[in-house]
Structure formats: structure tokens, C-alpha cells
Short mmCIF file of all heavy atoms in Angstrom, two decimals:
data_model
loop_
_atom_site.label_atom_id
_atom_site.label_comp_id
_atom_site.label_asym_id
_atom_site.label_seq_id
_atom_site.Cartn_x
_atom_site.Cartn_y
_atom_site.Cartn_z
N LYS A 254 32.53 2.98 -8.90
CA LYS A 254 33.41 3.90 -8.22
C LYS A 254 33.01 4.23 -6.81
O LYS A 254 33.80 4.36 -5.84
CB LYS A 254 33.67 5.12 -8.98
CG LYS A 254 34.41 4.90 -10.30
CD LYS A 254 35.90 4.48 -10.01
CE LYS A 254 36.64 4.30 -11.26
NZ LYS A 254 38.06 3.82 -11.00
N LEU A 255 31.66 4.43 -6.64
CA LEU A 255 31.18 4.72 -5.31
C LEU A 255 31.44 3.52 -4.29
O LEU A 255 31.87 3.74 -3.20
CB LEU A 255 29.66 5.01 -5.29
CG LEU A 255 29.16 6.30 -5.85
CD1 LEU A 255 27.66 6.34 -6.04
CD2 LEU A 255 29.60 7.39 -4.86
N LEU A 256 31.27 2.32 -4.84
CA LEU A 256 31.45 1.09 -4.01
C LEU A 256 32.98 0.98 -3.67
O LEU A 256 33.34 0.33 -2.69
CB LEU A 256 30.96 -0.15 -4.66
CG LEU A 256 29.42 -0.24 -4.79
CD1 LEU A 256 29.01 -1.33 -5.76
CD2 LEU A 256 28.85 -0.44 -3.41
N GLN A 257 33.80 1.49 -4.61
CA GLN A 257 35.23 1.39 -4.34
C GLN A 257 35.83 2.48 -3.50
O GLN A 257 37.03 2.48 -3.26
CB GLN A 257 35.97 1.22 -5.73
CG GLN A 257 35.70 -0.07 -6.36
CD GLN A 257 36.29 -0.18 -7.76
OE1 GLN A 257 36.65 0.83 -8.33
NE2 GLN A 257 36.44 -1.38 -8.31
N GLY A 258 35.02 3.39 -3.07
CA GLY A 258 35.47 4.43 -2.23
C GLY A 258 35.89 5.77 -3.01
O GLY A 258 36.51 6.62 -2.36
N ASP A 259 35.59 5.87 -4.22
CA ASP A 259 36.03 7.11 -4.99
C ASP A 259 34.88 8.17 -4.77
O ASP A 259 33.63 7.84 -4.67
CB ASP A 259 36.16 6.81 -6.43
CG ASP A 259 37.41 5.91 -6.62
OD1 ASP A 259 38.31 5.90 -5.84
OD2 ASP A 259 37.50 5.35 -7.77
N VAL A 260 35.25 9.42 -4.87
CA VAL A 260 34.29 10.51 -4.80
C VAL A 260 33.86 10.86 -6.21
O VAL A 260 34.71 11.17 -7.03
CB VAL A 260 34.90 11.73 -4.04
CG1 VAL A 260 33.91 12.91 -4.09
CG2 VAL A 260 35.20 11.33 -2.62
N PRO A 261 32.60 10.89 -6.50
CA PRO A 261 32.08 11.17 -7.82
C PRO A 261 32.29 12.70 -8.25
O PRO A 261 32.51 13.50 -7.37
CB PRO A 261 30.67 10.79 -7.87
CG PRO A 261 30.27 11.00 -6.43
CD PRO A 261 31.44 10.62 -5.66
N LYS A 262 32.30 12.96 -9.51
CA LYS A 262 32.41 14.32 -10.01
C LYS A 262 31.16 15.15 -9.55
O LYS A 262 30.07 14.56 -9.40
CB LYS A 262 32.52 14.30 -11.52
CG LYS A 262 33.78 13.69 -12.04
CD LYS A 262 33.81 13.74 -13.55
CE LYS A 262 35.05 13.09 -14.19
NZ LYS A 262 35.04 13.17 -15.54
N PRO A 263 31.30 16.42 -9.38
CA PRO A 263 30.20 17.25 -8.97
C PRO A 263 29.10 17.23 -10.09
O PRO A 263 29.42 17.08 -11.29
CB PRO A 263 30.81 18.67 -8.89
CG PRO A 263 32.27 18.43 -8.68
CD PRO A 263 32.63 17.19 -9.40
N ILE A 264 27.90 17.36 -9.64
CA ILE A 264 26.75 17.53 -10.65
C ILE A 264 26.56 18.93 -10.84
O ILE A 264 26.18 19.69 -9.88
CB ILE A 264 25.51 16.78 -10.06
CG1 ILE A 264 25.76 15.28 -9.89
CG2 ILE A 264 24.36 17.01 -10.99
CD1 ILE A 264 24.61 14.56 -9.19
N THR A 265 26.73 19.38 -12.12
CA THR A 265 26.59 20.78 -12.37
C THR A 265 25.39 21.08 -13.26
O THR A 265 24.71 20.16 -13.71
CB THR A 265 27.85 21.29 -13.12
OG1 THR A 265 28.07 20.46 -14.31
CG2 THR A 265 29.15 21.01 -12.25
N GLY A 266 25.19 22.40 -13.55
CA GLY A 266 24.10 22.75 -14.45
C GLY A 266 22.69 22.65 -13.86
O GLY A 266 21.73 22.62 -14.60
N LEU A 267 22.53 22.57 -12.55
CA LEU A 267 21.23 22.50 -11.92
C LEU A 267 20.63 23.89 -11.95
O LEU A 267 21.37 24.93 -11.94
CB LEU A 267 21.38 22.08 -10.50
CG LEU A 267 22.00 20.64 -10.26
CD1 LEU A 267 22.20 20.44 -8.80
CD2 LEU A 267 21.08 19.58 -10.92
N LYS A 268 19.31 24.00 -12.08
CA LYS A 268 18.58 25.28 -12.19
C LYS A 268 18.27 25.81 -10.82
O LYS A 268 17.69 25.08 -9.87
CB LYS A 268 17.35 25.19 -12.94
CG LYS A 268 16.62 26.48 -13.08
CD LYS A 268 15.38 26.35 -13.95
CE LYS A 268 14.59 27.64 -14.04
NZ LYS A 268 13.41 27.52 -14.82
N THR A 269 18.70 27.03 -10.51
CA THR A 269 18.52 27.58 -9.15
C THR A 269 17.11 28.12 -9.01
O THR A 269 16.65 28.93 -9.81
CB THR A 269 19.57 28.68 -8.87
OG1 THR A 269 20.85 28.12 -8.78
CG2 THR A 269 19.26 29.40 -7.58
N LEU A 270 16.38 27.64 -8.05
CA LEU A 270 15.06 28.21 -7.67
C LEU A 270 15.19 29.20 -6.58
O LEU A 270 14.30 30.12 -6.42
CB LEU A 270 14.05 27.11 -7.37
CG LEU A 270 13.78 26.13 -8.43
CD1 LEU A 270 12.78 25.04 -7.98
CD2 LEU A 270 13.36 26.68 -9.78
N ARG A 271 16.17 28.99 -5.65
CA ARG A 271 16.51 29.94 -4.59
C ARG A 271 17.90 29.85 -4.29
O ARG A 271 18.56 28.79 -4.09
CB ARG A 271 15.64 29.64 -3.37
CG ARG A 271 15.85 30.67 -2.31
CD ARG A 271 14.81 30.71 -1.17
NE ARG A 271 14.65 29.44 -0.57
CZ ARG A 271 13.57 28.73 -0.58
NH1 ARG A 271 12.50 29.12 -1.25
NH2 ARG A 271 13.47 27.57 0.08
N ASP A 272 18.63 31.05 -4.23
CA ASP A 272 20.06 31.19 -4.00
C ASP A 272 20.41 30.61 -2.65
O ASP A 272 19.59 30.65 -1.75
CB ASP A 272 20.57 32.57 -4.20
CG ASP A 272 20.46 33.02 -5.66
OD1 ASP A 272 20.05 32.25 -6.48
OD2 ASP A 272 20.89 34.17 -5.82
N GLY A 273 21.65 30.19 -2.48
CA GLY A 273 22.16 29.85 -1.21
C GLY A 273 23.22 28.78 -1.30
O GLY A 273 23.46 28.22 -2.38
N THR A 274 23.93 28.49 -0.19
CA THR A 274 24.94 27.54 -0.07
C THR A 274 24.75 26.69 1.18
O THR A 274 24.44 27.30 2.23
CB THR A 274 26.35 28.14 -0.12
OG1 THR A 274 26.49 28.89 -1.30
CG2 THR A 274 27.36 27.04 -0.08
N CYS A 275 24.86 25.40 1.09
CA CYS A 275 24.81 24.63 2.36
C CYS A 275 25.57 23.39 2.18
O CYS A 275 25.69 22.72 1.12
CB CYS A 275 23.27 24.19 2.54
SG CYS A 275 23.04 23.13 3.99
N THR A 276 26.25 23.02 3.26
CA THR A 276 26.97 21.72 3.36
C THR A 276 26.29 20.91 4.49
O THR A 276 26.02 21.37 5.60
CB THR A 276 28.45 22.01 3.83
OG1 THR A 276 29.08 22.75 2.83
CG2 THR A 276 29.18 20.69 4.01
N GLY A 277 25.95 19.72 4.14
CA GLY A 277 25.22 18.79 5.03
C GLY A 277 25.23 17.39 4.51
O GLY A 277 25.67 17.08 3.37
N THR A 278 24.62 16.51 5.22
CA THR A 278 24.44 15.19 4.77
C THR A 278 23.39 14.98 3.67
O THR A 278 22.36 15.56 3.80
CB THR A 278 24.02 14.23 6.03
OG1 THR A 278 24.99 14.39 7.07
CG2 THR A 278 23.90 12.74 5.60
N LEU A 279 23.71 14.24 2.67
CA LEU A 279 22.83 14.11 1.53
C LEU A 279 21.99 12.87 1.79
O LEU A 279 22.41 11.72 1.99
CB LEU A 279 23.69 13.88 0.25
CG LEU A 279 22.91 13.72 -1.02
CD1 LEU A 279 22.19 15.06 -1.37
CD2 LEU A 279 23.80 13.39 -2.19
N LEU A 280 20.58 13.13 1.78
CA LEU A 280 19.64 12.13 1.92
C LEU A 280 18.50 12.28 0.90
O LEU A 280 18.38 13.40 0.45
CB LEU A 280 19.05 12.18 3.37
CG LEU A 280 19.94 11.89 4.56
CD1 LEU A 280 19.23 12.13 5.88
CD2 LEU A 280 20.54 10.44 4.54
N GLY A 281 17.72 11.26 0.73
CA GLY A 281 16.63 11.53 -0.20
C GLY A 281 16.11 10.23 -0.87
O GLY A 281 16.44 9.15 -0.49
N GLY A 282 15.37 10.49 -1.93
CA GLY A 282 14.74 9.39 -2.69
C GLY A 282 13.35 9.81 -3.14
O GLY A 282 13.07 10.96 -3.52
N ASN A 283 12.45 8.82 -3.11
CA ASN A 283 11.10 9.02 -3.54
C ASN A 283 10.22 9.85 -2.50
O ASN A 283 10.17 9.47 -1.33
CB ASN A 283 10.43 7.70 -3.73
CG ASN A 283 9.00 7.75 -4.19
OD1 ASN A 283 8.06 7.60 -3.50
ND2 ASN A 283 8.89 8.05 -5.51
N LEU A 284 9.70 10.92 -2.93
CA LEU A 284 9.01 11.98 -2.12
C LEU A 284 7.86 11.25 -1.37
O LEU A 284 7.70 11.45 -0.16
CB LEU A 284 8.58 13.16 -2.82
CG LEU A 284 7.77 14.23 -2.06
CD1 LEU A 284 8.60 14.72 -0.88
CD2 LEU A 284 7.27 15.32 -2.96
N SER A 285 6.93 10.63 -2.11
CA SER A 285 5.81 10.06 -1.38
C SER A 285 6.15 9.04 -0.39
O SER A 285 5.50 8.88 0.65
CB SER A 285 4.76 9.45 -2.48
OG SER A 285 5.46 8.45 -3.28
N THR A 286 7.21 8.25 -0.64
CA THR A 286 7.73 7.32 0.34
C THR A 286 8.21 7.96 1.60
O THR A 286 7.96 7.55 2.71
CB THR A 286 8.75 6.35 -0.27
OG1 THR A 286 8.21 5.67 -1.43
CG2 THR A 286 9.26 5.44 0.72
N ILE A 287 8.95 9.04 1.38
CA ILE A 287 9.55 9.83 2.49
C ILE A 287 8.41 10.37 3.36
O ILE A 287 8.37 10.21 4.59
CB ILE A 287 10.39 11.00 2.02
CG1 ILE A 287 11.68 10.39 1.38
CG2 ILE A 287 10.76 11.88 3.17
CD1 ILE A 287 12.46 11.43 0.67
N VAL A 288 7.40 10.91 2.72
CA VAL A 288 6.24 11.51 3.47
C VAL A 288 5.45 10.42 4.26
O VAL A 288 4.98 10.71 5.40
CB VAL A 288 5.30 12.33 2.51
CG1 VAL A 288 4.06 12.79 3.28
CG2 VAL A 288 6.11 13.46 2.03
N ARG A 289 5.31 9.19 3.69
CA ARG A 289 4.69 8.13 4.38
C ARG A 289 5.45 7.73 5.64
O ARG A 289 4.88 7.11 6.58
CB ARG A 289 4.55 6.90 3.49
CG ARG A 289 3.55 7.12 2.42
CD ARG A 289 3.38 5.84 1.63
NE ARG A 289 2.55 6.04 0.42
CZ ARG A 289 2.97 5.94 -0.87
NH1 ARG A 289 4.15 5.72 -1.14
NH2 ARG A 289 2.07 6.20 -1.82
N MET A 290 6.69 8.15 5.78
CA MET A 290 7.57 7.82 7.01
C MET A 290 7.40 8.91 8.07
O MET A 290 7.90 8.80 9.17
CB MET A 290 8.98 7.63 6.61
CG MET A 290 9.21 6.47 5.60
SD MET A 290 10.92 6.38 5.00
CE MET A 290 11.74 5.74 6.57
#
């Protein structure tokens, strides 16, 4: 569905460690790899 241009369903049920709301570009992956960059 992602490859076909559909927007996936929201991911719910995440545990909040700090409240807030933010809209931005989603990036990420493996933490140690990111830090090596």
C-alpha cells in the first residue's frame, strides 16, 4: 500500500513518556547507525 501511494492507518496505543504534539517529517531507523553519521 505504501508503494502504491496509500496512506497507512495511524499507529495507536503508544506509551507517552512526555506530553506534546508535533507535525514534521518522519525520519529514523537504527540508533547506533544514526549516531555514527
Side-chain angles (χ1 to χ4, degrees):
K254 289 298 184 181
L255 282 171
L256 290 171
Q257 291 178 340
D259 293 342
V260 176
K262 295 179 180 179
I264 297 175
T265 59
L267 302 174
K268 181 178 180 180
T269 296
L270 300 183
R271 184 162 57 243
D272 290 0
T274 301
C275 179
T276 299
T278 302
L279 184 65
L280 297 174
N283 181 258
L284 176 60
S285 56
T286 300
I287 292 170
V288 173
R289 290 185 185 112
M290 300 174 72

